[in-house]
Amino acid sequence: MFRTALRNVLAHKARLLMTVLAVMLGVAFVSGTLVFTSTLSNALQGSARKGFDNVDVAIQRGAADPADEAPGAHSPLDQKLLDKAAGLPGVASATGTVSGFTAIADKHGTMIGDGFSTTGSNYSPGTDGTDARYPMRTGTAPKGPQEFALDAHTADRGGYKVGDTVRISVDGPVREQRLSGIFTTDDARVGAGGSLALFDTATAQKLFATPGHFDEIDLKAAPGASQTALKDAVEKVLPQGAEATTGRQLADEQAKMIAQSMDGMKTALLGFAAVALFVGIFIIANTFTMLVAQRTKELALMRAVGASRRQITRSVLTEAFVVGAVAAVTGLLAGIGIGAALRSLMSLTGGSVPEGPLVVSPSTILTALAVGIVVTVLAAWLPGRRAAKIPPVAAMNSVHAAATTKSLVIRNTVGALFAGAGIAAVLVATGMSDGKTTMGAGAALLVIGVFVLTPLLSRPLIALATPVLRLFGISGVLARQNAVRNPRRTAATASALMIGLTLITGLTVIAGSVQHGIDKMATSALKADYVVSMATHSPLSPDVAKKLATADGVTASSPLRNAPARIGATTTSLTGVNGKEFDQLTRLDFTEGALGTLHGDRALVDDTLAKRKGWHAGSRVPVTFEDGSKGNLTIGGVYEGNQVISGILLDNGTLDRHQKHATDMQVLVKTAHGATPEAKDSLVKALGKNPAITVADKKDVSNAIAQTFTLLLNMVYGLLAMAVIVAVIGVVNTLAMSVFERSQEIGMLRAIGLDRRGIKRMVRLESLVISLFGGVLGIGLGVFFGWAAGELIGASLPTYELVMPWGRMAVFLAVAALVGVLAALWPARRAAKLNMLQAIKAE
């Protein structure tokens, strides 16, 4: 039986090729994901560990409970602690570090790097006058407030050399610094595409912390001293609020964080690989079902000469095992290539990946082989079981018996129950406060139910195309008959395409509706024409608000100024605004009170916080400000919060009296002539064409809020394209095997006058009808799931409104039609080339 199975595989190489290809794509996706994430994780962990080569013990600020921390408290890591740590036995050197955001402009004024990894720190020379962490390639270390050094990668990208004047920004205002030196570094942030600027310690403390204080103190152990012993010695001199950690622990924690971040990416990519494999299951099952049907007489004859049912099933599963093994091996090799290509692509698109080997772990190899073989064997099990049930007497007939009425009734009943339960669960979930799990389970049940019912649905839905198909004459009539002749085969072929389009359509409906809701929210909440902020949403210098207030064309402006405070036993954040002009810049809906009450000790609070705290207009709230002084706030109004404006609002005139160092998060600006290109250019010029600051209108604000979702959607489109490609292979495979199965019929059609062009048209129309059938089902399910998910989203986004993307859905339907046309090219050509006499004689 093993030799028979092997002979059957070799005898049907062309027919099984598409199945191998479908499985191979899924396995390649899985193994490529594992290779890429393992390689990236290994490279980033190696780079991170290098960054701790000169750190044996790090003294850091302890992670104290914010409720126990006094507002405005300084870091306990000061010069006194640095000197004390440097004098401990076993310490070779002690380095105090401070760091913060630093934007570097290129010669065109554009920020170099992605913003969040553009960092500034301090150059801390040792007794020899150099900092071992940052060896200078050219130039000298920075000295004084007008000089700085830059990493070599960023200097090369910006085209800078020693002696150039470079425009930089730390907290808003533009600074022009002389480039004193260019250094090399193993810093992981630079390796990830960021930039690193170094200042002398006094300048860095003034920019990023407070004079005399550090963010971290790094100790290098003397030869022979262990990290653990040094940590024990350090802990004896630590002040309250500081803690010591060994360099090895920090490196391990960093590696763990990198691995966890890679796990998220890996899970997401493997999810899409699972979709591609799920679609491939339909193709495999379809292929083996047709192969079994075509070998009915052969299998029945084997039963007649003594083969048992178990041997027949084992024979089919052996074929599947061979096919799966070939697909798994080729998929693994392709996946290794994909992993290497993704790494190169990441570097070409601006992302910097640290040096490191391509990692192909034993677990990746075993996973790829297991996935390819197990998926193929499981998908072939049902056709193999059906093959074993063929009675020996069937060898006397040309075709095995068709499905009985009883089996069809059972199938349709099961499908209806699954679909009904799925619809009910989804509808119930839309009315729940947290119905994600229920909705997910309902969606799965509904998809399974629709798949089971697809043979039943195929006849009425395909019948709708009859008037159009009649326009193509006898070819169109035959195409419709062929499409509904074997409903189960048509259903399996169409379902592969249905899965992909369901996901794509559902996500598109959700994305369009969320974007519309965010646009509506930004429009309704803001009267301001522009929102000015740092590119990384880090704090702005108050100088920015002052410059904007006096800029040409500005009629009203208000900084949104954050300050920590303690209300009761919890630490919270107060938002300071310009109370006199805030009503010209925002449009808030009040449930109690009014905006005009925003002055003195009166505050406004959003409805969510007010409900949680039990506050109402007129409530008196005790508060401890950032400088430690105490007072009372009177709630002047309760407004409906949103993603643009929320929290406790207080007049800046009141808040500034309790702040030592005021910082703004955003500045709202209204201009005389509204949001125009000229007005925006005027604001940009007023800020000195600062690379670190963004001037955004309402549309920009909306896009920024929805950016993450839009990016995810675009990525999903690309990844789900894999499922569509697999679906194309399924249609090609089904049609090719169908043509082989109907060779005698096609020969007869040719003999009675249907020319080759008519045969081609018949196969193409059949493919088109099946693909459109899958497309209609997929789009219909996607719209339903998009609506249902929107009901959950609407609970957290009040402005959410269902928006039907008619244009994109038309494109999706056109893609389904294109799939049908392309998939039919080779089978149609093959059918037209059949020799009519040989086809008529075919068994």
Side-chain angles (χ1 to χ4, degrees):
M1 294 302 294
F2 177 78
R3 288 197 300 269
T4 302
L6 201 59
R7 177 182 61 79
N8 284 327
V9 171
L10 297 175
H12 302 119
K13 292 188 292 290
R15 277 180 267 174
L16 291 171
L17 177 62
M18 290 296 179
T19 303
V20 170
L21 189 57
V23 180
M24 185 201 77
L25 284 173
V27 173
F29 206 156
V30 171
S31 54
T33 295
L34 296 176
V35 169
F36 172 65
T37 53
S38 298
T39 299
L40 188 58
S41 179
N42 182 70
L44 290 175
Q45 288 181 26
S47 177
R49 289 183 186 280
K50 274 186 181 180
F52 293 104
D53 285 347
N54 293 314
V55 180
D56 289 307
V57 173
I59 304 175
Q60 300 170 318
R61 193 172 183 177
D65 187 346
D68 299 330
E69 187 176 304
H74 289 301
S75 167
L77 313 183
D78 54 15
Q79 187 65 42
K80 182 180 177 182
L81 179 60
L82 175 65
D83 295 338
K84 189 182 292 186
L88 290 172
V91 175
S93 64
T95 305
T97 63
V98 289
S99 61
F101 168 72
T102 302
I104 310 295
D106 62 18
K107 293 183 178 180
H108 302 288
T110 304
M111 183 169 61
I112 301 174
D114 62 3
F116 289 95
S117 55
T118 53
T119 311
S121 188
N122 63 310
Y123 186 90
S124 183
T127 54
D128 61 352
T130 63
D131 190 332
R133 300 171 300 171
Y134 309 115
M136 289 291 164
R137 189 176 74 177
T138 56
T140 61
K143 296 177 182 177
Q146 300 303 318
E147 291 187 350
F148 85 113
L150 190 59
D151 72 271
H153 184 58
T154 303
D156 292 341
R157 284 190 290 174
Y160 290 122
K161 61 183 185 297
V162 172
D164 286 346
T165 298
V166 182
R167 291 157 55 81
I168 71 172
S169 179
V170 174
D171 60 353
V174 174
R175 301 168 59 93
E176 293 191 346
Q177 304 272 143
R178 178 182 175 273
L179 183 59
S180 66
I182 297 173
F183 60 90
T184 58
T185 178
D186 291 324
D187 192 289
R189 291 165 295 190
V190 175
S195 63
L196 178 60
L198 297 179
F199 307 86
D200 65 48
T201 299
T203 302
Q205 286 177 330
K206 185 177 178 181
L207 293 173
F208 307 126
T210 53
H213 291 264
F214 302 97
D215 295 331
E216 182 173 309
I217 297 175
D218 296 330
L219 306 180
K220 178 69 177 173
S226 70
Q227 291 188 356
T228 304
L230 184 57
K231 178 190 173 187
D232 293 338
V234 169
E235 286 179 336
K236 295 177 182 178
V237 300
L238 289 181
Q240 184 178 3
E243 61 181 18
T245 311
T246 65
R248 190 177 301 109
Q249 286 177 314
L250 290 174
D252 290 343
E253 289 173 6
Q254 187 79 4
K256 185 178 179 180
M257 288 174 61
I258 292 171
Q260 288 175 345
S261 65
M262 288 297 104
D263 285 343
M265 180 190 295
K266 185 191 298 183
T267 300
L269 292 173
L270 288 177
F272 293 109
V275 172
L277 286 168
F278 182 63
V279 172
I281 287 174
F282 293 106
I283 298 170
I284 300 164
N286 219 14
T287 300
F288 278 92
T289 298
M290 295 176 73
L291 284 174
V292 167
Q294 291 170 10
R295 287 160 42 203
T296 299
K297 295 176 69 175
E298 173 190 335
L299 294 173
L301 188 58
M302 291 174 67
R303 289 290 315 282
V305 297
S308 66
R309 288 188 173 185
R310 183 173 296 178
Q311 286 178 312
I312 296 294
T313 302
R314 196 178 299 154
S315 173
V316 175
L317 293 181
T318 301
E319 291 182 50
F321 178 86
V322 173
V323 171
V326 172
V329 172
T330 53
L332 173 62
L333 296 176
I336 294 172
I338 289 173
L342 284 175
R343 177 176 173 171
S344 300
L345 181 63
M346 193 172 178
S347 299
L348 290 174
T349 53
S352 181
V353 181
E355 292 296 324
L358 191 69
V359 179
V360 185
S361 63
S363 61
T364 297
I365 297 172
L366 292 175
T367 300
L369 294 176
V371 165
I373 294 171
V374 170
V375 166
T376 310
V377 170
L378 285 178
W381 176 78
L382 190 58
R385 188 168 174 270
R386 285 177 184 161
K389 288 185 177 181
I390 299 175
V393 73
M396 308 295 292
N397 303 315
S398 59
V399 180
H400 185 48
T404 63
T405 302
K406 181 181 178 181
S407 69
L408 292 175
V409 169
I410 293 174
R411 178 185 180 115
N412 294 338
T413 302
V414 170
L417 290 174
F418 270 84
I423 292 172
V426 170
L427 292 177
V428 168
T430 59
M432 298 171 63
S433 57
D434 186 15
K436 295 177 183 177
T437 303
T438 304
M439 184 169 291
L445 287 173
L446 179 54
V447 169
I448 294 171
V450 171
F451 168 66
V452 174
L453 287 174
T454 306
L456 179 66
L457 298 173
S458 64
R459 288 185 178 275
L461 288 179
I462 291 176
L464 295 175
T466 301
V468 178
L469 292 174
R470 283 176 180 165
L471 299 177
F472 296 93
I474 190 63
S475 296
V477 174
L478 291 171
R480 187 192 69 80
Q481 293 176 350
N482 290 333
V484 298
R485 177 185 298 180
N486 192 328
R488 289 185 176 180
R489 182 191 302 167
T490 297
T493 306
S495 295
L497 189 59
M498 178 191 78
I499 300 297
L501 286 180
T502 296
L503 292 171
I504 291 174
T505 304
L507 289 170
T508 302
V509 170
I510 295 170
S513 301
V514 167
Q515 181 68 60
H516 177 76
I518 292 172
D519 287 344
K520 189 175 178 182
M521 179 187 65
T523 303
S524 61
L526 289 178
K527 292 181 185 176
D529 297 313
Y530 294 101
V531 177
V532 179
S533 63
M534 294 289 281
T536 56
H537 303 291
S538 54
L540 275 167
S541 166
D543 291 341
V544 173
K546 293 177 183 177
K547 287 184 178 180
L548 289 170
T550 59
D552 292 340
V554 174
T555 59
S557 67
S558 172
L560 300 184
R561 185 164 295 165
N562 283 5
R566 185 182 298 160
I567 295 179
T570 60
T571 297
T572 187
S573 179
L574 303 178
T575 301
V577 300
N578 185 345
K580 293 180 180 179
E581 298 183 353
F582 199 59
D583 62 335
Q584 301 177 51
L585 301 165
T586 59
R587 188 182 292 107
L588 300 179
D589 295 325
F590 282 81
T591 58
E592 297 181 52
L595 186 57
T597 59
L598 189 60
H599 58 81
D601 66 350
R602 290 184 169 270
L604 304 179
V605 61
D606 70 73
D607 53 349
T608 303
L609 182 59
K611 184 177 181 180
R612 188 167 70 245
K613 296 287 188 179
W615 295 339
H616 301 279
S619 298
R620 296 280 288 174
V621 179
V623 59
T624 301
F625 291 100
E626 182 180 1
D627 61 355
S629 63
K630 297 182 178 181
N632 288 289
L633 296 178
T634 301
I635 304 301
V638 179
Y639 65 93
E640 294 180 5
N642 53 65
Q643 287 183 287
V644 180
I645 305 292
S646 62
I648 303 173
L649 305 180
L650 192 67
D651 183 63
N652 275 328
T654 303
L655 189 63
D656 288 351
R657 295 198 299 268
H658 304 286
Q659 286 188 291
K660 294 180 180 179
H661 303 285
T663 55
D664 301 332
M665 295 308 296
Q666 295 175 328
V667 181
L668 305 181
V669 179
K670 188 172 184 61
T671 58
H673 301 291
T676 64
E678 293 77 18
K680 186 172 184 177
D681 288 342
S682 176
L683 295 179
V684 170
K685 288 177 182 177
L687 296 172
K689 295 185 177 179
N690 195 312
I693 295 179
T694 60
V695 179
D697 58 21
K698 293 178 185 178
K699 187 64 178 176
D700 295 330
V701 172
S702 173
N703 290 339
I705 296 173
Q707 184 178 20
T708 303
F709 199 88
T710 303
L711 182 65
L712 176 64
L713 181 66
N714 290 335
M715 184 180 74
V716 167
Y717 280 164
L719 294 173
L720 287 179
M722 178 71 72
V724 175
I725 292 171
V726 174
V728 172
I729 294 171
V731 179
V732 173
N733 208 23
T734 299
L735 288 173
M737 297 183 74
S738 178
V739 166
F740 175 83
E741 191 178 78
R742 303 200 313 256
S743 295
Q744 190 175 56
E745 175 188 321
I746 292 172
M748 289 295 295
L749 291 172
R750 289 289 316 283
I752 61 175
L754 190 61
D755 59 12
R756 289 185 174 180
R757 182 178 298 177
I759 295 293
K760 284 184 179 180
R761 189 182 298 123
M762 177 186 72
V763 176
R764 288 171 183 165
L765 289 173
E766 179 184 352
S767 174
L768 183 63
V769 166
I770 292 174
S771 296
L772 286 175
F773 170 55
V776 168
L777 284 181
I779 292 172
L781 282 175
V783 168
F784 177 70
F785 291 144
W787 165 80
E791 293 296 301
L792 291 182
I793 295 171
S796 56
L797 183 62
T799 54
Y800 181 89
E801 184 179 325
L802 181 66
V803 175
M804 295 296 291
W806 299 110
R808 291 201 180 189
M809 287 195 295
V811 170
F812 298 155
L813 199 60
V815 167
L818 182 63
V819 165
V821 172
L822 294 178
L825 291 178
W826 177 60
R829 189 165 175 268
R830 183 183 177 192
K833 283 189 171 184
L834 285 176
N835 183 292
M836 68 178 74
L837 294 179
Q838 290 180 351
I840 291 172
K841 292 191 302 178
E843 287 290 334

